[in-house]
Amino acid sequence: MEKSTKILIADDNPEIREVLGVLLKSEGYEVEEAVDGDDSVE
């Protein structure tokens, strides 16, 4: 089984995160979300 690539989406707009997440997951990426820059560092 091929290992998936993980992508971090950092955006304060939940609709943008949702749309990007759906698109990226459909392409086989593992998706993590953050609501802002500080959250993404954690």
Side-chain angles (χ1 to χ4, degrees):
M1 178 178 220
E2 187 176 316
K3 185 176 177 184
S4 66
T5 301
K6 187 183 288 188
I7 293 181
L8 173 64
I9 300 171
D11 197 294
D12 61 350
N13 186 322
E15 289 87 10
I16 297 292
R17 290 194 315 269
E18 181 179 0
V19 170
L20 284 173
V22 168
L23 290 171
L24 291 167
K25 287 175 186 176
S26 74
E27 292 294 321
Y29 293 99
E30 183 180 343
V31 176
E32 295 288 331
E33 295 184 13
V35 297
D36 58 26
D38 291 333
D39 190 29
S40 67
V41 172
E42 291 178 23

